[in-house]
Amino acid sequence: MSRYWSDIVHRLVPYVPGEQPALAKPVKLNTNENPYPPSPRVVEAIRAELGDHGESLRRYPDPVSKRLRAAVAAHHGLNTDQVFVGNGSDEVLAHAFQALLKHDLPLLFPDITYSFYPTYARLYDVQYRTVPLDDAFAIRIEDYAQPNGGVIFPNPNAPTGHALPLAQIEKLVAANTESVVVIDEAYVDFGAESAIALIDRYPNLLVVHTTSKSRSLAGMRVGFAFGHADLIDALNRVKDSFNSYPLDRLAQAAATAAYEDADWLRTTSSRVMASREKLTAALVQLGFEVVPSAANFVFARHPQHDAVLISTKLREQEIFVRHFNAPRVNQHLRISIGTDAECDTLVAALKDIVK
Ligand SMILES: *Cc1c(COP(=O)(O)O)cnc(C)c1O
């Protein structure tokens, strides 16, 4: 604390990201990173962009990421004016809070969801109301039929992994005509249906994607928003009032190459999904209750063993999982899907802990 702080800084409750341990080979299942490397084309593209002496780095990058937006628009069958790009989807979400979700009525999001949403709400002074998930941790669309200044949730939801079918999302978007609905699809490539298909019909829908999870580029910080050109325009107005060059040259080259290799995405995502089903079965075998997941993580609890105790014992063996000290879920652990070998190491350790 300092007398030099602004009022807003006094009131902030910053988001706490998962730990990045300084160990040689941790079994790191705590931040939903992809266990596989990005497409080899990504590495080639970064090398090509850099050149022999890094001479391209002298110059500012393209402020509007034109090539990248064209590649992504083509991939999703959109126009480039329906695509916004930012420095990680967290930045895209932050701009959406400021540009589209701040109104007189409260923003609605689930009681159990991505914990960055209340953080952005406080940063941008957006009033909000949380809507409880049902007992199976599912979002009930009917509960959002109330006056609001916007709706936001991930699909699949985080940290539960539960996914809503596209028909449910469409029902919400069709009914919620007075404000914007933001669907955060950070995990959509691991088995859920994307709402991008609805964009041409609903001017109040914004869909947010990231290259951090399914495209293995968390270290590059590239995220997108897709929606009606008027919504994208609002995001660009905030972006150009904040940082004209949110994506560096290497990130633009890397992400473009990642979108040009759809085969790589399919292969690595299928592997992750197969490992998820294997891990789920092994956890159930050990007595865990596991929420059915359409993401690259599972959300599980053991009725006889305390979640903090389990995660502490795993940590002693350099195995990292995520625990959230929040109501309703403080006995759950969120476990990212690693390679099969990492999942096996985890299961062996858990077997010992819960025996
Ligand atoms: C990981 C995650 C993000 C952030 O992704 P970045 O693009 O790495 O900033 C956004 N939303 C949800 C729900 C996530 O889990």
Side-chain angles (χ1 to χ4, degrees):
M1 279 239 254
S2 157
R3 67 194 172 97
Y4 302 117
W5 284 15
S6 66
D7 279 352
I8 185 93
V9 168
H10 281 285
R11 282 185 278 125
L12 293 181
V13 184
Y15 175 79
V16 183
E19 190 181 358
Q20 297 289 347
L23 296 165
K25 265 199 167 302
V27 177
K28 209 178 154 301
L29 307 175
N30 66 336
T31 55
N32 298 343
E33 288 145 333
N34 202 302
Y36 303 109
S39 158
R41 292 202 212 168
V42 166
V43 181
E44 278 168 39
I46 291 173
R47 287 212 179 98
E49 176 62 37
L50 204 47
D52 286 339
H53 305 284
E55 53 274 29
S56 70
L57 300 183
R58 292 183 304 114
R59 299 218 191 270
Y60 282 104
D62 174 7
V64 296
S65 304
K66 200 158 171 253
R67 242 196 95 206
L68 170 58
R69 282 171 45 245
V72 174
H75 180 84
H76 289 303
L78 296 169
N79 297 325
T80 47
D81 66 358
Q82 294 173 305
V83 179
F84 176 80
V85 56
N87 195 273
S89 63
D90 286 338
E91 185 182 88
V92 175
L93 291 166
H95 290 346
F97 269 71
Q98 217 176 13
L100 302 167
L101 302 177
K102 186 179 160 86
H103 294 284
D104 294 338
L105 289 164
L107 171 67
L108 304 179
F109 51 80
D111 60 339
I112 300 163
T113 195
Y114 190 37
S115 45
F116 234 130
Y117 303 154
T119 297
Y120 289 137
R122 276 184 290 263
L123 176 62
Y124 293 120
D125 212 5
V126 176
Q127 49 160 332
Y128 65 90
R129 182 183 299 151
T130 58
V131 181
L133 298 181
D134 72 12
D135 291 338
F137 288 146
I139 289 169
R140 265 187 315 236
I141 289 305
E142 311 84 81
D143 297 346
Y144 291 79
Q146 51 174 306
N148 65 73
V151 174
I152 185 169
F153 57 78
N155 192 44
N157 196 10
T160 62
H162 185 275
L164 281 181
L166 186 58
Q168 291 281 299
I169 303 279
E170 179 162 13
K171 218 168 128 189
L172 168 70
V173 176
N176 201 83
T177 53
E178 299 309 298
S179 70
V180 172
V181 176
V182 179
I183 307 296
D184 179 353
E185 294 187 339
Y187 302 103
V188 73
D189 294 324
F190 300 107
E193 297 172 279
S194 176
I196 289 177
L198 306 177
I199 281 173
D200 280 336
R201 278 182 289 138
Y202 298 99
N204 59 327
L205 171 65
L206 193 76
V207 179
V208 175
H209 277 203
T210 176
T211 61
S212 296
K213 312 302 178 13
S214 59
R215 287 185 176 79
S216 310
L217 290 178
M220 275 292 172
R221 317 303 305 125
V222 183
F224 303 95
F226 308 117
H228 191 284
D230 289 346
L231 301 188
I232 300 306
D233 192 28
L235 296 174
N236 277 318
R237 289 172 71 98
V238 170
K239 171 225 166 220
D240 287 323
S241 307
F242 176 77
N243 181 0
S244 307
Y245 306 102
L247 259 71
D248 66 57
R249 285 176 172 276
L250 305 185
Q252 291 187 34
T256 306
Y259 272 86
E260 287 167 353
D261 195 350
D263 282 346
W264 188 268
L265 173 76
R266 255 193 303 278
T267 309
T268 51
S269 303
S270 309
R271 275 206 217 166
V272 169
M273 289 187 273
S275 303
R276 175 184 71 211
E277 299 316 306
K278 234 178 100 183
L279 177 62
T280 301
L283 290 172
V284 168
Q285 195 81 56
L286 293 176
F288 282 87
E289 295 163 7
V290 186
V291 181
S293 171
N296 69 337
F297 56 83
V298 291
F299 201 49
R301 71 185 279 270
H302 198 292
Q304 281 100 41
H305 295 271
D306 180 69
V308 175
L309 215 66
I310 296 175
S311 83
T312 307
K313 286 184 179 167
L314 288 174
R315 203 171 187 285
E316 286 163 7
Q317 302 176 58
E318 302 192 351
I319 302 170
F320 295 81
V321 298
R322 191 87 195 262
H323 174 259
F324 296 95
N325 191 15
R328 289 185 77 186
V329 295
N330 64 9
Q331 280 309 306
H332 279 77
L333 294 171
R334 191 196 67 188
I335 305 167
S336 310
I337 307 303
T339 59
D340 275 336
E342 289 174 319
C343 293
D344 290 347
T345 306
L346 169 77
V347 170
L350 285 173
K351 208 173 261 177
D352 219 36
I353 294 168
V354 306
K355 77 164 182 263

